[in-house]
Amino acid sequence: MMVRFDPGEERIAVTRNFRVWEGGGEYNVARGLRRCFGQRTTLVTAVADNPVGRLLEDLMLQGGVDLSHLKWVEYDGIGRASRNGIYFLERGFGNRGAMGMMDRGHTPVSQMKPGDIDWDAIFNTEGVRWFHTGGVYCALSPSTAEVAKEAMASAKRHGVVVSFDCNYRPSLWKASGGRAAACRLNRELAQYVDVLFGHEGDLLDTCAAASGPPWYDSESYEAMSKRIQESFPAIKVIATTIRRPRTANRNDWGAFGFAEGNVFESVKFDDLEIFDRVGGGDSFAAGLIYGLMEHKGLKWALDCGVAHGALAMTTPGDSSMATLGEVERLMGGGSAAVQR
Amino acid sequence: MMVRFDPGEERIAVTRNFRVWEGGGEYNVARGLRRCFGQRTTLVTAVADNPVGRLLEDLMLQGGVDLSHLKWVEYDGIGRASRNGIYFLERGFGNRGAMGMMDRGHTPVSQMKPGDIDWDAIFNTEGVRWFHTGGVYCALSPSTAEVAKEAMASAKRHGVVVSFDCNYRPSLWKASGGRAAACRLNRELAQYVDVLFGHEGDLLDTCAAASGPPWYDSESYEAMSKRIQESFPAIKVIATTIRRPRTANRNDWGAFGFAEGNVFESVKFDDLEIFDRVGGGDSFAAGLIYGLMEHKGLKWALDCGVAHGALAMTTPGDSSMATLGEVERLMGGGSAAVQR
Amino acid sequence: MMVRFDPGEERIAVTRNFRVWEGGGEYNVARGLRRCFGQRTTLVTAVADNPVGRLLEDLMLQGGVDLSHLKWVEYDGIGRASRNGIYFLERGFGNRGAMGMMDRGHTPVSQMKPGDIDWDAIFNTEGVRWFHTGGVYCALSPSTAEVAKEAMASAKRHGVVVSFDCNYRPSLWKASGGRAAACRLNRELAQYVDVLFGHEGDLLDTCAAASGPPWYDSESYEAMSKRIQESFPAIKVIATTIRRPRTANRNDWGAFGFAEGNVFESVKFDDLEIFDRVGGGDSFAAGLIYGLMEHKGLKWALDCGVAHGALAMTTPGDSSMATLGEVERLMGGGSAAVQR
Amino acid sequence: MMVRFDPGEERIAVTRNFRVWEGGGEYNVARGLRRCFGQRTTLVTAVADNPVGRLLEDLMLQGGVDLSHLKWVEYDGIGRASRNGIYFLERGFGNRGAMGMMDRGHTPVSQMKPGDIDWDAIFNTEGVRWFHTGGVYCALSPSTAEVAKEAMASAKRHGVVVSFDCNYRPSLWKASGGRAAACRLNRELAQYVDVLFGHEGDLLDTCAAASGPPWYDSESYEAMSKRIQESFPAIKVIATTIRRPRTANRNDWGAFGFAEGNVFESVKFDDLEIFDRVGGGDSFAAGLIYGLMEHKGLKWALDCGVAHGALAMTTPGDSSMATLGEVERLMGGGSAAVQR
Amino acid sequence: MMVRFDPGEERIAVTRNFRVWEGGGEYNVARGLRRCFGQRTTLVTAVADNPVGRLLEDLMLQGGVDLSHLKWVEYDGIGRASRNGIYFLERGFGNRGAMGMMDRGHTPVSQMKPGDIDWDAIFNTEGVRWFHTGGVYCALSPSTAEVAKEAMASAKRHGVVVSFDCNYRPSLWKASGGRAAACRLNRELAQYVDVLFGHEGDLLDTCAAASGPPWYDSESYEAMSKRIQESFPAIKVIATTIRRPRTANRNDWGAFGFAEGNVFESVKFDDLEIFDRVGGGDSFAAGLIYGLMEHKGLKWALDCGVAHGALAMTTPGDSSMATLGEVERLMGGGSAAVQR
Amino acid sequence: MMVRFDPGEERIAVTRNFRVWEGGGEYNVARGLRRCFGQRTTLVTAVADNPVGRLLEDLMLQGGVDLSHLKWVEYDGIGRASRNGIYFLERGFGNRGAMGMMDRGHTPVSQMKPGDIDWDAIFNTEGVRWFHTGGVYCALSPSTAEVAKEAMASAKRHGVVVSFDCNYRPSLWKASGGRAAACRLNRELAQYVDVLFGHEGDLLDTCAAASGPPWYDSESYEAMSKRIQESFPAIKVIATTIRRPRTANRNDWGAFGFAEGNVFESVKFDDLEIFDRVGGGDSFAAGLIYGLMEHKGLKWALDCGVAHGALAMTTPGDSSMATLGEVERLMGGGSAAVQR
């Protein structure tokens, strides 16, 4: 969980005003599930108790996510021991891509250690049905990868569905082994994963310095998925967004999914107009998880994720401002005519 | 007349700031005729005398429309008896269409009754040349339909040209008979109409639950127009905008018109870039009325309406911010090169 | 619960931009108890299900108040049957007082009827310790007064403390009997009230057209309180804010309270600098209720209420943005020196 | 140097808020060279000493351009004798082109006379390598053309490279001979020019009332360039941007260049998305000058100019907010994918 | 008439955003009479026909002042021949006074000459009851003083009341004789003046370099007024505001008036809180003129002017945003309590 | 050097928008000397090379301070190794004091070590006349205290005047010994200090937990100064601001100074209206240093510092937006009357 500073139409390096939003891969999923899909969600994280932490609380209250598992950590008044993460992200325009800068060293969440959270209590007594985490959290520090593993194992023990978004970010792994280290970790965690957001390049032991996700068709996606499932039989569902940025303002957008030996391709949006692309993938995850939780089938879930992601990219901020009705209308090919 | 609350780049349900504009179908036409086309226009309506009403006055003064026929109604301090209408309208983006919400129950204008306005005095003594009203006003209450009929009949008696914009809005008719009831009313009023903005689906007695206006070519438009004229011989001119929303940001836009047995097709804008589509149709009406008042012929008038509507959709708010020079340049195929 | 439209430094009748906040007497108390004082609070009300209602939800989520008792009512698309209340409030400056305009006719909450809510279930099963309502809710319609009575009686039955803020608003009572009618109702409800926010003028059967609350000293307050308690022995605590507006920017501010035969005077702020005075009384109520719930004694509770109210008036919006630490520092005479 | 008043998404004639930027053809080049390309640049101009002049200073300090050659002229308190230039420029949208209005009469810079500046001292002692001026400055008054000539001659004497941007603006020449007069002047100055930004139409003695720059291919550009060089052998490099505005939001954009008998065509951007097209040409000049100063060859310099210009048009304001890294990435065909 | 650029809380020389308002001494009076006092007013002036002129029109339409006597002058595209005046004005804070900068050279209105306007037609046929002008207009150029004289003489001939606001501005007179020249002109015009806003220092032939207006008591004001009336018997009413700026935020504010041998002192506001002091004097004039036009007596008129001026200084912009009801409430000693 | 995030009228914990400024004790002094007093100043510091660092550069360019001694440090992409400092500061209102939160751990400047900067080169070859540093810089880490000592010693060797602002901040010293440790360091550095901003409490070896600076009169200040000079004979000038915050909006403000055995008291501002108090002390230092550099005497220098500080507190941001003329006018008792 971080505060996002957004310079709107200007750029980070020359603006004088920032709009703030909250963001964070796992949080965005929880918020989407709560605000668009009406599911109760909670967040397990730690926040330094200072005005920025209280701003995060204010933003997350607005997001509707339950905060009873937020751990407030004392602030040292200067930001040496532990501080709240922030990031700056401008949305790009045309040939100038979106650009972001993380400032998330020394956060309380990166200092979490196994044993800090009583996961069994959470999964056992609070009626949790789904647990979602991912590669961003795991990359914060060696101990967060341990915490993630501990949580996933506990969830698994209690029959809670586990989803994991590989979400490789070069800046996070730069100092600790890069993509190869990320893949190594992902392979280790794969035994606990039911639903994987990612692709072969996130798991391969010979994981090359591939820049960006590969581009699939149904056939190649099926082959890839089967290779994954062979090596990691615990994984029941694989889902991968396909995004091709023509410009910052226009992307091709869709997804593939694999379950029970079958490949599904979602509704596709060619030349999708983009307002702020950040959070599109997290909104996809939220929509897909909703579909699976509601037992709608993977094709429906993929469409729901892709439509939710598409709508999330029509508004500023990391999260979606869409309603379930709007998602369903877009899944059904609804036009952009005015409603009044 | 209502205050429009516009959340700009955000959405109604999550914004914290609204830009306000004034809007209303008939008003937008009067404003366009005044500010872009230099015609003197007046508005006959009623407003509750409270700060929101005074804000409406301030906005309408800026619009340049004469306010001497504004009827100020006492406010009860709470909004039970009569209140000023407002609406919320977000402009949409890409695959997310524009979306609006009316909050216009219990307005003074919906409580107007026949006899409240001395139409004969207005049409007889003030040199009025044109009277415009439409389906939105008629739908506010049973008595407003009566008032419209009374006004149109009076205009007709005094040789004032009457134009009527059918402008069917589902939300307004939901509780009072839907599209069928609207068509029934339109048929009754057709005897007073010289210039009709609409199409067959607004007048048919077997008017089906057609969603959205039909899509014409010259031939089908001619056939349709002739059918109308047969049934409603008083109608001299029929004009219909053709809008196909590719996305909220890009529409195809044009118009057909019919007069004296001939069909005209306006200049067409394919893939027109849209900033805020609201009010495009009203700006079309303003341009067309201007063309007809200036005796430029229906083809010119259609082009003028379409160009004015196109320009109105490049700016925020319901109304056009264009000048006559700009409209003429666009009618003439002017490019979007910078002028300085 | 209403959306507040706030023109900031400008005025309602001439602005082009509004900041929105949520507000409402009872809600403000619940929000203050939650955000400043860390108490869990819930709101029982009804909201029309349209984008403005969803904006209210977004604002209330940010406020942290539990929404599980929010009743969503279908919207008719136009605002005839039931609509969400809004109000416009400008904060005033110097010799120009704050000025507000309510537009809250036909709200779902004003259409609530006895039997709509299962109060016994709420008070019996959800661990409620305190119930707060007041004269604004009661004035919305004859049926809301009945609902309030029903709720207060139920709370009383279940041993829940009942507080009632008389909060007379001329605009609300104008059409239904004015101050005399309000007093009559208050007298009827007084049997259920443990903690009364108000003064003799809210209860008197000879209640004159007093403009504004009276100005007390300890002696006159004690006499007044004893007269109230004689007539209404159920009332255990009486609390009254004392505000003397020198200008819109500077007020004298304090409170008196009475309990168990003793009068207490709060810390007083003479010439208090005011940013936005709206909600000061509600924030007082929140602070006082907190003090009483924490068994701090009435003097402490009065000081807490007055300090919380004072801080609430240093920020825009109806509600406080203060923390408990800031309230305690101000109660203790803390200076306005910078903290860093 | 002028203050630009920018109405953002609205229009000059109806807005209530302006964002200010600094702008001016020659200045934009100097700013681009400083902020994007890290070159030290200075500006020789005159500014009236009043708050608007100080605002210009504040804006230019931010721009990083050295101000030691700024001449401060006393202000008469009312703007009769000499005043700072301003201009209003809206960015256009879709079919509505960008539109500007100059208010730059009576500026100190237009009152500069030969002899006011000791050009020899500047070029001799301050290590200047490049001098850039152009047609806008020359058009301000008869004396500025003289000053430009004096400066160019001095630069030439000291071995400083001279570039000249013809930059014909109808409004500036309207009262003093139009395009023919501009061409006449350009022909006179051509003897001092090493690098010419412009085309044949800026130099022809039979210069017709061509509207807009011509559209070249490699062949016609080579022929044109050779004709220029025959008549004006001092000119070593000719560079011409090619812009075809499809709409205000989308332009085709590229450039041709000629040096040592060879023609080069830059990378081309078809259907380039434009946020604010103003300053694109100046940013092209900055990039090209950088390339030539760094001895990268004309092809590289053209690409650099075109990419820098393209990026400058993705942000508001006249100047680029891009970094050298971004320019190089775009020259190399970099995609618009997010960077984080 | 000028566009005012207002940097809000910041300062002209460092801001990046300006709010625009319209302003001008005589215009502010006409606007106040129209919007607060409901009188029909018109403005005789000239405006250059460019987007800034159209912005002025838009602002003046909002102001409600009739524009049928606005003379549109062709713009030369660059601002050499004639241009619209602008000014920059920051409101000050505490010990930092409000500060303004005029940029109004070469305006069409300063180029008006006797004979340009058919004053007799205006005063004879349009039912004008009152003509107001003043020292600012007269100072624009030698010819504007002539035009003012011509207009005043014509008004006098047609029995129209003439008021004149001396309103000495050092910057306007700096180049043409300073205060002595202003006094000389005022003495010449005094024969046409019925109502004088000013004081002895505006008329004296030995007019010293007094800084700021003098500070009167009833006695000295009476003596001063009698001296004026002796020399200028045509003047029937003299009115003078008394403002003592303690800080930019707090002024003492009141007025003295003299008529038919009697002195009146207005209601006084000591330590009046000021938001934006600009236009206070013009709003005073509007209120006083209203009082005299309504035959309320000079004492009432003074109170009305002072209260209107006080309210005008509680809002941004040059003009009042007050209503007549608010003026009357403040004249009657109304408190700053909230109204809702 | 840090970016300041300023929530304007709202509070850090609930706002959605931040205005950014640059700030930092020593920087603010350099900026004031440059922008208000026209001195050339440079800053020796280190900044991480990321978009926030570039924003700092953009802000400092605007501030006019020379950046040639800025050391750019590589960024790790996540903020673990070194990151740019930021702080959040809200300005307070009335009884709610200004409140700030530092987030400046792990900054490059805190990682500077003796030997990193060639101070002798700077002081020897660049014509430096004055070196200013202070307690904030020294508190960043043990090594920064060493760097400060190294720089002060070098300055001293080269005859550069050294000033030192004790500027005790509890949050900075909390983890490293608190006030006692700060005093110990100050005593060690005192041998290099010519001009001390501070008081006895900053140097005492028995330095108690005094909260806030003491309140002096001339006599006690003289006694205190003499005690300091006895122990630290190198110190030639002592200067101490006296601020008594009545509320966040109103402070008493003045200063005492001591030189050559004499005490001077500055002009005093009682009940000074404050917009944003942050940076008042730094602006005082800038004004005093200017006075001493210009050899105006300590009384003049104190007045200059106090007036500059007073003006700096009338505008948002840490730094002054005042001009030298305004400072001199305020020193001379200038009123807050409008200037135009």
Side-chain angles (χ1 to χ4, degrees), chain C residues 16 29 35 45 66 77 101 106 112-113 183 191 198 255 270 272 300 309 320:
Chain C
R16 294 295 180 268
V29 176
R35 290 302 299 274
T45 192
D66 171 73
M101 187 211 106
H106 312 281
M112 282 171 74
K113 290 179 306 295
C183 289
Q191 58 185 306
D270 285 344
L272 181 73
W300 194 97
S320 137

Side-chain angles (χ1 to χ4, degrees), chain F residues 5 7 25-26 141-142 174 196 211 216 223 227 258-259 268 278 290 311 325 337:
Chain F
F5 290 86
E26 291 80 5
S141 73
K174 199 164 64 170
L196 182 85
S211 67
Y216 293 105
R227 282 192 302 272
F258 176 89
K268 289 199 311 187
V278 182
Y290 173 72
L311 287 169

Side-chain angles (χ1 to χ4, degrees), chain D residues 29-31 33-35 39-43 63-67:
Chain D
V29 177
R31 191 195 207 279
L33 279 162
R34 170 68 180 82
R35 289 303 298 276
Q39 306 301 302
R40 285 181 303 127
T41 52
T42 192
L43 189 74
V65 175
D66 172 72
L67 302 184

Side-chain angles (χ1 to χ4, degrees), chain B residues 223-239:
Chain B
M224 181 275 284
S225 298
K226 288 189 170 162
R227 283 194 301 272
I228 288 185
Q229 232 185 15
E230 239 162 78
S231 307
F232 307 99
I235 298 175
K236 296 188 194 66
V237 177
I238 306 170

